[in-house]
Amino acid sequence: MQSAQRDRRLPSLVLSAQVRGEQVGTYWAGTSDFDRGLAPGADVQYRVGSITKTVTAVAVMQLIAAGRLALHDELRRHWPDAPHGDVTILSLLTHTSGLQAEPVGEVWETLMPPSRDEFPANAAAARRLYPAGTFWHYSNLGFALLGELVARVYGAPWEEVVTSRILEPLGMMRTTMQPAWPHASGYSVAAYADAVQREPHLDSRAIAPAAQLWSTVSDLATWSNFLLAGDPQVLDRDSMAAMRVPRVIADLEGWSLAWGLGLMLVRDGGNVYVGHTGSMPGFLAACFAAEGSQAGVALLTNSTASTGVGSIAAEALRVLDEVAWEPAPWQPGPDVPEEVAPLLGRWWSEWREWIFSWTEGQLVAKSADAPSGSDPERYSPIGHDLYLCISGPGRGEELRIVRSARGDVEKMYRATYPMTRRPEPFGGTEKRSGV
């Protein structure tokens, strides 16, 4: 930390690492506020910029999980006079709406984004750079529209919605709309000297859903764990998994950056890290997690100068991934239900062996030759002898159980393909070619 803060000439740098929801270390160097002599620390707030978008995306997904919105709904279905009302919620979450990046006007020169009352007219004047779904193009304006949609559906300001429905249930009490002491001050560092200048405070106003929040590395450690595990009070694990699915490649040449539903997916060698970076005048931030190792990193600094905070976070995650963390100890699970017991063990389909087991109170299946660490299929009952695959390669497909007249399980059908206790050709043993 000391060398990164010194070599990159950052006023301060704070990093927190967590594994499986437990913080394993918080590190800092430098000064958070030179005038007040404030040292950085786990509870010192910094501006997190576009990490705010991930919170807005979760607010949208809460409405989708509740059946009040759908990904392919057009904006005008829930906001009748919405500007650019024909764009879909999906295209806004994935930055494929075709909208220009910023509101109309010189926002970053005047430091005066439109107010909420001014926003509809401002957004209506924004350009559509290309038809929706054509290219990935990052848009703060698009997330401002999503924030306004959330506010209109709930009938309450975006700030109140995300505070009461997301931040407070997760215990993120040091994540706020405006800075709350102790907080860092934002600076710019001279290009060819070591002088620093305080950056002005920018209130995002109508663009708040894209970039308003202040937070700490402790709160962001909670957030990185939530991005992997979900929380039943806020958004379930399956909905969070849907947010992490790659929807669009942002850089077609290198394929190092993709986008899920409001989430950045950074590919680093064989690893994929999920989260977001952020920048505002005087501040840079990054918050990422690795699904495989269940590790997360939050990084905050009070410098405007681009320092590649995402690459620092990725490097820290790489180190966490390489450390041989002790796996969680095995614990006995719930008893196997009587109707599930005959389904367990080895099955064959298309001359491929599958293993079904009962794990953590759920029916789980995995191909015997699946790579180590790959996701299994998890099944949930939806009827008598009928299960729905809720995660893994067969997500959305059904598993149907066939029993004999005596009630014994004879075979299963996974996504319509028969599964038997021994390998059989298509059509069954009585239809072998040449017999």
Side-chain angles (χ1 to χ4, degrees):
M1 286 297 293
Q2 283 78 8
S3 61
Q5 183 264 345
R6 180 184 62 249
D7 295 346
R8 297 169 188 259
R9 301 192 308 135
L10 303 174
S12 67
L13 185 63
V14 191
L15 182 146
S16 179
Q18 62 93 4
V19 177
R20 300 190 192 96
E22 299 292 330
Q23 290 196 48
V24 297
T26 302
Y27 314 91
W28 57 81
T31 303
S32 296
D33 187 300
F34 292 111
D35 293 337
R36 305 187 192 188
L38 177 65
D43 194 49
V44 175
Q45 278 190 336
Y46 288 70
R47 193 91 185 251
V48 301
S50 289
I51 294 174
T52 304
K53 291 182 175 69
T54 64
V55 179
T56 298
V58 168
V60 173
M61 291 300 293
Q62 286 179 325
L63 289 167
I64 290 173
R68 300 178 68 178
L69 300 178
L71 279 177
H72 294 283
D73 284 351
E74 292 183 344
L75 202 57
R76 58 191 170 198
R77 178 170 181 176
H78 308 280
W79 177 4
D81 55 348
H84 307 283
D86 61 323
V87 299
T88 66
I89 293 170
L90 176 62
S91 72
L92 292 170
L93 286 170
T94 57
H95 297 284
T96 57
S97 66
L99 286 168
Q100 65 183 59
E102 306 293 341
V104 173
E106 290 72 37
V107 170
W108 297 105
E109 184 175 31
T110 64
L111 300 183
M112 187 59 67
S115 68
R116 189 179 178 194
D117 289 340
E118 297 167 338
F119 178 64
N122 183 290
R127 291 189 302 138
R128 299 281 284 273
L129 308 183
Y130 48 80
T134 307
F135 300 107
W136 176 88
H137 184 80
Y138 193 83
S139 179
N140 284 317
L141 177 61
F143 264 78
L145 288 169
L146 285 173
E148 183 62 19
L149 172 66
V150 167
R152 288 174 181 257
V153 173
Y154 277 117
W158 168 86
E159 292 85 350
E160 291 182 14
V161 172
V162 298
T163 299
S164 64
R165 294 179 177 271
I166 300 173
L167 302 177
E168 290 179 352
L170 291 175
M172 295 173 63
M173 308 309 292
R174 288 285 288 152
T175 302
T176 57
M177 301 297 156
Q178 298 293 340
W181 187 257
H183 63 82
S185 291
Y187 298 97
S188 59
V189 181
Y192 303 107
D194 290 333
V196 297
Q197 179 175 337
R198 188 185 293 268
E199 291 277 20
H201 173 72
L202 170 64
D203 190 323
S204 302
R205 307 220 293 174
I207 313 302
Q212 182 67 18
L213 290 176
W214 293 70
S215 191
T216 66
V217 289
S218 290
D219 271 12
L220 289 183
T222 297
W223 188 247
S224 70
N225 184 63
F226 169 73
L227 294 180
L228 296 178
D231 185 293
Q233 297 183 88
V234 178
L235 194 64
D236 64 88
R237 181 185 294 267
D238 293 336
S239 294
M240 285 306 314
M243 293 184 70
R244 298 193 301 268
V245 174
R247 306 283 177 153
V248 61
I249 303 297
D251 63 331
L252 295 178
E253 297 267 341
W255 285 41
S256 61
L257 178 63
W259 232 264
L261 299 177
L263 301 178
M264 294 173 66
L265 305 173
V266 176
R267 192 174 68 157
D268 179 50
N271 300 315
V272 175
Y273 305 137
V274 58
H276 217 289
T277 56
S279 65
M280 286 294 279
F283 296 95
L284 296 169
C287 179
F288 284 97
E291 191 165 1
S293 62
Q294 296 290 294
V297 165
L299 184 148
L300 299 170
T301 184
N302 54 338
S303 172
T304 295
S306 177
T307 62
V309 290
S311 64
I312 300 176
E315 183 178 348
L317 272 172
R318 200 177 307 125
V319 171
L320 288 176
D321 281 340
E322 292 172 356
V323 173
W325 296 100
E326 283 293 324
W330 176 84
Q331 295 288 339
D335 292 340
V336 181
E338 183 179 348
E339 67 274 13
V340 171
L343 312 182
L344 305 184
R346 298 178 180 273
W347 292 84
W348 291 80
S349 180
E350 300 180 86
W351 292 86
R352 186 180 183 188
E353 188 177 19
W354 288 77
I355 300 172
F356 281 74
S357 59
W358 180 253
T359 304
E360 298 178 351
Q362 200 164 43
L363 181 63
V364 173
K366 195 169 187 178
S367 171
D369 59 1
S372 176
S374 60
D375 291 337
E377 295 186 344
R378 299 183 182 275
Y379 287 89
S380 180
I382 57 173
H384 178 64
D385 282 343
L386 188 64
Y387 295 80
L388 180 69
C389 182
I390 59 174
S391 67
R395 182 186 287 110
E397 298 285 0
E398 291 182 347
L399 178 73
R400 182 166 60 89
I401 315 304
V402 177
R403 298 179 184 267
S404 69
R406 295 194 311 170
D408 299 326
V409 174
E410 291 186 328
K411 66 171 64 174
M412 303 191 297
Y413 287 91
R414 173 190 171 273
T416 77
Y417 283 82
M419 306 193 82
T420 54
R421 285 295 190 180
R422 61 182 183 182
E424 294 183 5
F426 282 93
T429 55
E430 72 278 3
K431 297 184 179 180
R432 292 183 188 272
S433 176
V435 176

